[in-house]
């Protein structure tokens, strides 16, 4: 193969169906050209290697993309499975089944945290709906009883119109109707107050009031009731205790506490009311030596229409302590209760004094 010399160049020359890499180099010594060198190298092996690389790339790139797509779909499906589970659960809940929960999510990432939060929210929602169902059922039951009594006595009176009726019996029937009407009116009024309170529509009118005067007024109102039940009310103070509060609600709260203490007291028993003033807190203590409350009932006494003893007394509405809890909460306070069956009950109301 004859190839012309091109000084100091590197080029590719094709000959006999083969490609060659040709390099021409001049060797000089002391400024004089002493030799010309021509180097040949076959490119066949390089081309074969490049062709193999092309084939590898031609087949591996589609395979890589195929594996990537399949793997991506699998990972996406795996990653979105909790989301799909949440969506399915949400649809089931939308049909009215609040007992459903997201199951099978064991990851500890954001999705796992979302699932856990979602389940906690469902627990609270289900508990809230159950309470509302019980509330509606209890309210219906509580209102149905006085309505039924009023209707029965009214029908009896109407049936006896024009007949000679003993005035004593007539007065008794009218007193029953009046009593049940008052009870129904009380239930409706307290329900309205609770509903407005929970909806945030009740506007408190806070002013500087003397708690001692409020308690003394309540004691005075309930003296006849206590005397009838042969219970002694105990409250003494010579020092006014002022705090900023809604006087109407605080009076309502004390009436409920003291009235309950009298109602569930024992003949010859006592009800003590005391106040303790601290720097930024006022504690009102209502203690009695009555029948007490069993431990299993203590956690439920503030629920609407809950009665520890269903057979003992139905003159109340079953809403008193629910209202009390709301009133105390509206004043930024809390209630502590302790009781021993047969020994009595103690309520401690902690209120912010400023």
């Amino acid at each position: 193969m004859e190839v012309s010399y091109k000084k100091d160049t590197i080029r590719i020359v094709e000959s006999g169906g083969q490609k060659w890499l040709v390099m021409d180099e001049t060797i000089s010594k002391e400024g004089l050209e002493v030799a010309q060198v021509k180097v040949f190298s076959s490119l066949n092996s390089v081309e074969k290697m490049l062709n193999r690389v092309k084939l590898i790339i031609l087949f591996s790139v589609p395979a890589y993309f195929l594996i990537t797509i399949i793997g991506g779909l699998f990972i996406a499906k795996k990653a979105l499975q909790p989301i799909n589970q949440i969506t399915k659960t949400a649809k089931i809940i939308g049909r009215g089944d609040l007992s459903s929960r997201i199951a099978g999510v064991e990851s500890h990432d954001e999705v796992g945290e979302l699932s856990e939060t979602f389940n906690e929210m469902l627990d609270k929602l289900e508990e809230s709906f159950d309470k509302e169902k019980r509330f509606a059922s209890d309210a219906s039951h509580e209102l149905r009883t006085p309505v039924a009594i009023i209707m029965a006595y009214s029908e009896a009176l109407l049936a006896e119109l024009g007949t000679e009726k003993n005035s004593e019996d007539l007065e008794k029937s009218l007193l029953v109707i009046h009593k049940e009407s008052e009870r129904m009116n009380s239930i409706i009024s307290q329900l309205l107050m609770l509903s407005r309170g929970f909806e945030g529509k009740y506007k408190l009118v806070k002013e500087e009031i003397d708690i001692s005067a409020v308690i003394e007024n309540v004691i005075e109102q309930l003296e006849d009731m206590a005397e009838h039940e042969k219970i002694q009310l105990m409250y003494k103070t010579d020092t006014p205790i002022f705090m900023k509060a809604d006087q109407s609600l605080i009076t309502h709260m004390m009436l409920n506490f003291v009235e309950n203490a009298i109602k569930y007291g024992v003949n010859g028993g006592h009800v003590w009311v005391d106040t303790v003033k601290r720097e930024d807190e006022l504690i009102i203590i209502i203690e009695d030596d009555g029948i007490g409350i069993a431990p299993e009932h203590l956690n439920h006494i503030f629920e609407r229409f809950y009665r520890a003893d269903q057979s003992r007394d139905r003159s109340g509405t079953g809403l008193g302590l629910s209202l009390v809890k709301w009133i105390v909460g509206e004043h930024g306070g809390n209630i502590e209760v302790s009781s021993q069956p047969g020994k009595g009950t103690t309520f401690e109301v902690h209120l912010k004094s400023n």
Side-chain angles (χ1 to χ4, degrees):
M1 178 178 64
E2 292 185 7
V3 180
S4 59
Y5 180 81
K6 293 183 179 181
K7 185 179 180 180
D8 298 331
T9 60
I10 298 174
R11 60 195 185 279
I12 296 174
V13 177
E14 192 171 348
S15 176
Q18 293 187 12
K19 291 181 179 181
W20 299 84
L21 182 65
V22 180
M23 181 180 71
D24 293 332
E25 185 72 30
T26 300
I27 299 174
S28 300
K29 188 176 181 182
E30 297 178 358
L32 297 174
E33 189 177 296
V34 296
Q36 292 180 338
V37 178
K38 188 183 290 289
V39 179
F40 293 85
S41 178
S42 175
L43 294 176
N44 284 349
S45 60
V46 176
E47 283 195 340
K48 286 180 181 178
M49 185 182 67
L50 289 174
N51 288 333
R52 285 179 189 147
V53 172
K54 286 180 182 178
L55 288 172
I56 292 171
I57 292 173
L58 184 64
F59 287 103
S60 64
V61 170
Y64 170 78
F65 278 112
L66 183 62
I67 293 171
T68 301
I69 291 170
I70 294 173
L73 289 173
F74 175 78
I75 293 172
K77 185 178 180 181
K78 195 76 175 175
L80 293 174
Q81 186 177 359
I83 305 298
N84 293 332
Q85 187 65 32
I86 292 173
T87 303
K88 290 178 181 177
T89 305
K91 288 180 179 178
I92 294 172
I93 292 168
R95 293 194 291 267
D97 182 8
L98 287 174
S99 63
S100 296
R101 296 293 182 272
I102 301 169
V105 181
E106 299 178 356
S107 60
H108 300 284
D109 55 7
E110 289 80 0
V111 176
E113 187 177 350
L114 173 64
S115 302
E116 186 177 344
T117 305
F118 195 79
N119 283 337
E120 289 175 0
M121 180 192 70
L122 289 176
D123 289 338
K124 292 179 181 178
L125 276 176
E126 186 176 17
E127 182 182 357
S128 177
F129 274 99
D130 287 343
K131 284 183 178 179
E132 291 305 316
K133 286 178 182 177
R134 289 200 304 272
F135 171 67
S137 175
D138 292 341
S140 300
H141 175 74
E142 291 292 333
L143 289 171
R144 183 173 56 190
T145 303
V147 168
I149 293 172
I150 290 171
M151 289 180 65
Y153 275 86
S154 300
E155 288 171 359
L157 289 174
L158 288 171
E160 293 174 1
L161 280 177
T163 64
E164 292 186 3
K165 175 73 175 178
N166 187 303
S167 61
E168 186 177 335
D169 292 338
L170 178 61
E171 182 181 1
K172 182 179 178 182
S173 297
L174 291 173
L175 284 173
V176 170
I177 291 175
H178 180 70
K179 180 181 177 182
E180 293 301 323
S181 298
E182 280 189 331
R183 181 168 179 270
M184 188 164 59
N185 182 61
S186 178
I187 292 174
I188 293 170
S189 298
Q190 292 188 53
L191 280 175
L192 180 60
M193 184 181 290
L194 274 175
S195 298
R196 289 175 63 193
F198 291 143
E199 291 173 5
K201 295 180 180 179
Y202 192 95
K203 302 299 181 184
L204 269 69
V205 181
K206 287 189 175 183
E207 55 186 336
E208 200 77 16
I209 63 172
D210 181 3
I211 291 293
S212 298
V214 171
I215 296 174
E216 286 175 352
N217 184 48
V218 168
I219 296 292
E220 186 178 339
Q221 288 185 56
L222 297 176
E223 276 182 350
D224 289 342
M225 178 182 178
E227 188 177 346
H228 182 267
E229 299 292 336
K230 297 181 181 178
I231 290 175
Q232 188 174 359
L233 297 179
M234 311 285 288
Y235 177 70
K236 287 184 180 180
T237 181
D238 299 325
T239 307
I241 301 175
F242 292 97
M243 69 171 291
K244 204 166 186 179
D246 187 308
Q247 182 167 346
S248 174
L249 292 183
I250 295 297
T251 303
H252 194 94
M253 176 191 78
M254 291 307 305
L255 279 169
N256 269 287
F257 273 131
V258 179
E259 189 176 349
N260 271 355
I262 295 171
K263 190 183 298 182
Y264 296 104
V266 293
N267 285 343
H270 303 79
V271 174
W272 297 273
V273 181
D274 195 10
T275 52
V276 179
K277 184 73 165 63
R278 294 177 181 170
E279 291 182 2
D280 59 347
E281 185 182 44
L282 171 66
I283 303 174
I284 303 173
I285 304 167
I286 304 96
E287 184 180 359
D288 66 69
D289 52 4
I291 63 173
I293 304 169
E296 63 268 21
H297 296 302
L298 274 179
N299 293 330
H300 303 284
I301 60 174
F302 294 105
E303 295 176 7
R304 291 170 290 188
F305 295 116
Y306 187 85
R307 289 190 179 92
D309 188 350
Q310 297 287 341
S311 61
R312 177 177 170 86
D313 189 359
R314 61 170 297 276
S315 62
T317 64
L319 293 168
L321 289 180
S322 298
L323 269 173
V324 162
K325 185 178 180 181
W326 170 72
I327 291 169
V328 173
E330 287 295 299
H331 287 81
N334 65 286
I335 304 172
E336 296 178 4
V337 55
S338 59
S339 183
Q340 290 185 2
K343 293 187 177 181
T345 303
T346 302
F347 287 92
E348 285 191 12
V349 183
H350 296 254
L351 298 171
K352 293 181 179 179
S353 58
N354 48 26

